Amino acid sequence: MWPDGTISATRVWKRFHADRTRPVLRDEVERLVAKRRGQGEDRWRWALRDVDFHVAPGEAVGLFGANGSGKSTLLKILTRVMYPYAGRLEVAGRVGALIEVRAGIHPDLTGRENVYLYGSLLGLKRVEVADRFDDIVEFAELTDAVDRQVKFYSSGMSMRLGFGVAAFLNPHVLLVDEVLAVGDAIFQQKCLNRMRDVLAEGTTLVYVSHDLATVEATCRRGVWLDNGVVIADGPVRETLSAYRQAVEQATETSAMTAGPVRLTDVRVTGLAGEPPTSFAALDISLRLKAVDPESGPLTLGVSEGTAALVFAMRHDLQLASGESSLACTVAHLPLPRGRYYLWAGMASRDGLELLEWRPVASFDVEGPDLIEAPTAVMRLAPVQVEAKWST
Amino acid sequence: MRDEPSATLSVGRADPVAERMTTPADIPDSPPDDLRFRRKVRIGESIRELWRARELIRTLTERDLRARYKQAVLGFAWAILPPIGLLLVFDVFFHHVGNVSSQGTPYELYAYLGLLPWTFFSSAMTVGGISLLTSMTLLNKVYCPREVFPLAAVGTAAADAVVSTGVLIVLFPINGFWPKATSIWIPVLLAIEVAFTLGVVFIVSAGVVYLRDLRHLLPIALQLGLFITPVGYSFDVIPRGLRPLYALANPLGPVIDGYRRAILLGKSPDLGLTAIAAASAGTLFLGGYLLFKRLETGIADVA
């Protein structure tokens, strides 16, 4: 037996009918008849292939990947809602899951009754639920609404109730699947804080989200699933940047698009052609080609992931028709080691787009790793500053 | 035992995408046969799990009862209404028009003793037969032994049956009739009735998940069942030679006959037929449960 909170999934496979007809008598009979005649093989689609997923008690794991990559299927197998086709699986302890909004919630019952129902689904005694009832109501900000039927709740309210119940009924393993999107910003923050508390209490967390920033903020370890296969499993920063890079590669367009202004060449280097290094100077050189003379502000930005900029720079530019070059130097590069993207875009003064805003180049920075906050689940922005210490 | 997670991905300096990342091509097309996930159904383990879930069954039963009675002004009258309504219909058509024999006992009591087990069976089937379908959203999110849903439905039907049994307190004095001492047979008959009902509910509830259109067949089957089963008339209508076969196919027949003999006629139930009914109900109960546990694994896949 594993200690409570351990997840151990070894070589898990799961398949679904690829051409699943409706589960009705007529279709089933047709299928059987076709099979009898030797035609119409059952076709299967693999949702998970050879997935190894081991989590130690108290670990926080972020699960990400494109839609249909098998994240939810994996969670459902972990909650034992679904059974794998092949593989070995053990999840020790009580599993609390928030898989969809309104998880485990019956619309005809009041909020209070739902809390008890969910508690008994988790295997808790009535008194145990009663002990935490007030915490749940306070967390979910329901106050008077607890004795109202859940079908009259707003989607935010039922999500808050669902999260409150799952997070406060002390599960050994908490599975959270893409649910925080419904809550407002304040409540999202509250949920993230609660997840941190739950982690501090030693609960194992598996967090699925397309919001990569919250994955990074909550989890230390990342698992990237693609097409039912674990592509990468490791420290969250590294797996996420690998994932982001793959996403970039899929979306990156050629640098030369048609427009009033074209970018013909981009170079990002450190001092004297060296690779870019933390705290050293960074040289960016651009070659631009304009059909007609244009003028307006040119914006350069540096991002770590797909969209969130670390910093940006702007310069007013007068372009003559034809090619011209431009250089920009960042004196002390405030970035830690990692891969970054350079964005460029230009607009005329009256707001007309001259050069489409998009990533134009990627570059790797050498230097120290990003410092981590002492209490695990808190992610710093990827900025490194030079600091002088004295005592 | 465990792999160190960080060992799976090593990050190169120039290229963060590590060389040791998994590529889909490394993975075979299908899993090796010895890896197949086999779920063994162990009765002992299942029962232990079910025992741990007793709180859940209680909550679900309460939920069913409350959700139903909360919306209904008539409240618990809903439990009494189906058997009473049928009793009135039977009284007019079977008793007065059709002149059905009640073996010298008051017809109202005679018919009501048939209606009680039938209503229990019928309402357990109506709710329990589709209990997995109606709880699909729950089934898809949280794990619990799946048989709690049909069990809770049967529990609800049982609660209704208890309420409608209360009508007898009025029916006996009205007819100036009292239960006979042979009524001690009731627990045996009740056990057969419950086992049969549970068995059928297990089979139907799991089957309906895979063959959804069968749920439309359910009301029709129950309507036919009401007339095939000796609810409004006497079991003696069935030819003597066919009775063992009938008892095997529909244990409710001998059970109802047994209730009438024991409570109204002061005789013990027909032991041979009751034994056949018990064997049939017991087999159905066990087989139904095992079948349910078998089919249970795929429920979320076709949800």
Side-chain angles (χ1 to χ4, degrees):
Chain A
M1 278 302 274
W2 307 88
D4 281 347
T6 312
I7 297 172
S8 166
T10 312
R11 305 196 63 188
V12 167
W13 294 70
K14 178 71 184 173
R15 64 180 193 179
F16 293 112
H17 267 286
D19 49 355
R20 179 80 210 183
T21 43
R22 294 157 299 158
V24 295
L25 187 62
R26 207 177 61 101
D27 292 10
E28 292 292 332
V29 168
E30 261 172 34
R31 216 160 56 82
L32 283 179
V33 168
K35 227 174 161 183
R36 254 276 157 77
R37 291 203 191 116
Q39 7 163 306
E41 279 277 294
D42 278 350
R43 283 189 318 183
W44 300 93
R45 178 176 57 80
W46 288 105
L48 290 176
R49 293 193 292 146
D50 226 20
V51 169
D52 272 319
F53 191 66
H54 300 273
V55 185
E59 214 177 345
V61 181
L63 205 55
F64 47 85
N67 286 330
S69 56
K71 305 185 294 289
S72 297
T73 305
L74 181 56
L75 280 202
K76 281 188 175 173
I77 285 175
L78 294 182
T79 55
R80 294 196 292 164
V81 163
M82 273 182 188
Y83 293 85
Y85 172 77
R88 305 280 169 263
L89 176 73
E90 174 130 30
V91 182
R94 264 201 312 276
V95 180
L98 198 54
I99 289 192
E100 282 158 47
V101 190
R102 297 159 196 268
I105 279 176
H106 190 274
D108 280 343
L109 296 182
T110 66
R112 182 187 303 273
E113 289 161 342
N114 268 300
V115 171
Y116 283 94
L117 177 63
Y118 196 84
S120 54
L121 280 169
L122 279 184
L124 287 165
K125 299 257 177 316
R126 251 159 222 252
V127 274
E128 293 175 291
V129 181
D131 280 348
R132 291 153 198 153
F133 187 79
D134 291 338
D135 288 341
I136 294 171
V137 174
E138 195 194 330
F139 179 83
E141 300 163 20
L142 289 174
T143 55
D144 301 340
V146 269
D147 289 313
R148 211 185 302 156
Q149 287 184 351
V150 166
K151 62 181 166 194
F152 299 125
Y153 280 24
S154 70
S155 54
M157 276 161 93
S158 58
M159 194 278 298
R160 295 206 299 265
L161 180 63
F163 187 88
V165 168
F168 276 87
L169 291 181
N170 293 31
H172 296 113
V173 178
L174 180 62
L175 310 173
V176 180
D177 184 6
E178 198 66 68
V179 284
L180 302 182
V182 192
D184 55 38
I186 296 171
F187 190 74
Q188 276 185 22
Q189 203 49 51
K190 221 167 136 182
C191 288
L192 291 174
N193 288 337
R194 179 60 203 167
M195 290 206 287
R196 276 174 209 138
D197 292 348
V198 164
L199 274 174
E201 287 161 16
T203 300
T204 308
L205 176 75
V206 179
Y207 179 57
V208 173
S209 184
H210 291 289
D211 182 355
L212 302 182
T214 62
V215 171
E216 209 160 1
T218 324
C219 304
R220 279 220 158 169
R221 192 175 134 202
V223 172
W224 169 17
L225 267 180
D226 187 54
N227 248 322
V229 176
V230 175
I231 300 286
D233 180 348
V236 71
R237 237 177 92 75
E238 291 161 18
T239 45
L240 266 179
S241 73
Y243 173 59
R244 281 174 175 144
Q245 198 183 339
V247 173
E248 296 277 311
Q249 271 166 6
T251 54
E252 210 167 352
T253 48
S254 85
M256 331 296 165
T257 48
V261 175
R262 290 172 209 184
L263 199 59
T264 52
D265 190 36
V266 184
R267 264 173 227 282
V268 183
T269 54
L271 207 58
E274 294 279 305
T277 310
S278 301
F279 309 132
L282 180 78
D283 282 323
I284 302 167
S285 58
L286 307 169
R287 288 193 69 79
L288 295 156
K289 191 175 177 182
V291 186
D292 301 308
E294 303 280 3
S295 70
L298 172 90
T299 311
L300 292 179
V302 170
S303 76
E304 194 196 21
T306 34
L309 286 188
V310 184
F311 60 84
M313 301 155 294
R314 181 164 291 166
H315 182 63
D316 261 318
L317 204 58
Q318 305 276 348
L319 287 177
S321 57
E323 284 211 38
S324 46
S325 52
L326 177 72
C328 170
T329 303
V330 179
H332 301 280
L333 186 65
L335 298 175
R337 185 166 79 90
R339 163 158 289 208
Y340 300 91
Y341 295 88
L342 179 74
W343 293 58
M346 187 176 171
S348 68
R349 282 203 180 74
D350 44 3
L352 192 73
E353 188 178 80
L354 298 174
L355 178 68
E356 193 196 343
W357 174 251
R358 59 189 159 72
V360 293
S362 67
F363 59 97
D364 295 310
V365 172
E366 299 202 348
D369 277 315
L370 179 69
I371 296 164
E372 279 183 18
T375 51
V377 285
M378 178 70 190
R379 202 214 153 218
L380 301 175
V383 173
Q384 205 91 318
V385 294
E386 284 177 287
K388 285 199 169 66
W389 299 76
S390 59
T391 47
Chain B
M1 282 287 231
R2 293 185 51 241
D3 286 323
E4 203 49 42
S6 54
T8 321
L9 179 79
S10 74
V11 173
R13 202 144 262 262
D15 184 3
V17 185
E19 324 79 59
R20 268 200 283 156
M21 263 175 31
T22 321
T23 48
D26 301 342
I27 293 171
D29 283 340
S30 59
D33 257 352
D34 58 314
L35 206 64
R36 277 295 297 275
F37 187 84
R38 278 178 232 287
R39 186 165 164 273
K40 286 197 202 74
V41 180
R42 286 193 208 85
I43 297 250
E45 182 58 39
S46 302
I47 289 170
R48 255 196 303 280
E49 199 180 29
L50 200 56
W51 177 247
R52 283 196 296 271
R54 63 192 184 280
E55 187 96 5
L56 177 60
I57 299 175
R58 197 180 107 195
T59 314
L60 285 171
T61 310
E62 254 183 54
R63 176 192 87 167
D64 281 356
L65 287 172
R66 252 191 253 183
R68 198 140 52 91
Y69 292 125
K70 194 170 264 179
Q71 290 173 331
V73 190
L74 286 171
F76 272 87
W78 281 128
I80 308 174
L81 227 50
I84 292 281
L86 279 175
L87 180 63
L88 292 176
V89 174
F90 282 4
D91 202 20
V92 172
F93 289 97
F94 279 126
H95 185 45
H96 290 291
V97 179
N99 243 330
V100 164
S101 150
S102 55
Q103 295 168 300
T105 59
Y107 181 78
E108 285 76 25
L109 281 173
Y110 194 81
Y112 201 73
L113 282 182
L115 278 166
L116 276 181
W118 174 258
T119 323
F120 167 69
F121 175 77
S122 154
S123 74
M125 282 293 292
T126 321
V127 186
I130 56 165
S131 58
L132 290 180
L133 287 184
T134 47
S135 309
M136 231 21 153
T137 44
L138 216 63
L139 284 176
N140 252 316
K141 288 171 200 154
V142 225
Y143 174 79
C144 55
R146 269 69 175 90
E147 57 268 34
V148 299
F149 296 99
L151 281 176
V154 174
T156 315
D160 285 350
V162 169
V163 172
S164 43
T165 304
V167 174
L168 284 175
I169 299 174
V170 184
L171 274 186
F172 272 112
I174 286 182
N175 287 288
F177 204 91
W178 302 103
K180 299 285 189 283
T182 39
S183 299
I184 44 164
W185 277 98
I186 291 176
V188 177
L189 299 166
L190 197 63
I192 301 173
E193 177 191 334
V194 171
F196 173 70
T197 307
L198 281 173
V200 179
V201 168
F202 277 140
I203 294 169
V204 171
S205 60
V208 160
V209 173
Y210 292 91
L211 303 169
R212 301 283 164 98
D213 38 359
L214 289 190
R215 71 179 291 181
H216 305 299
L217 219 65
L218 200 58
I220 304 168
L222 283 173
Q223 245 165 29
L224 289 178
L226 173 61
F227 293 101
I228 291 170
T229 311
V231 177
Y233 52 88
S234 163
F235 188 66
D236 294 348
V237 171
I238 295 152
R240 193 170 291 275
L242 285 178
R243 282 182 200 169
L245 204 64
Y246 185 96
L248 196 67
N250 182 5
L252 277 184
V255 165
I256 291 175
D257 185 53
Y259 280 131
R260 287 168 175 164
R261 281 161 165 264
I263 300 172
L264 300 178
L265 299 173
K267 292 193 272 184
S268 55
D270 185 314
L271 290 183
L273 292 180
T274 310
I276 295 175
S280 164
T283 314
L284 208 59
F285 173 66
L286 259 180
Y289 186 60
L290 288 177
L291 182 75
F292 186 91
K293 290 307 264 182
R294 253 289 136 79
L295 292 178
E296 173 185 71
T297 31
I299 285 174
D301 294 1
V302 293

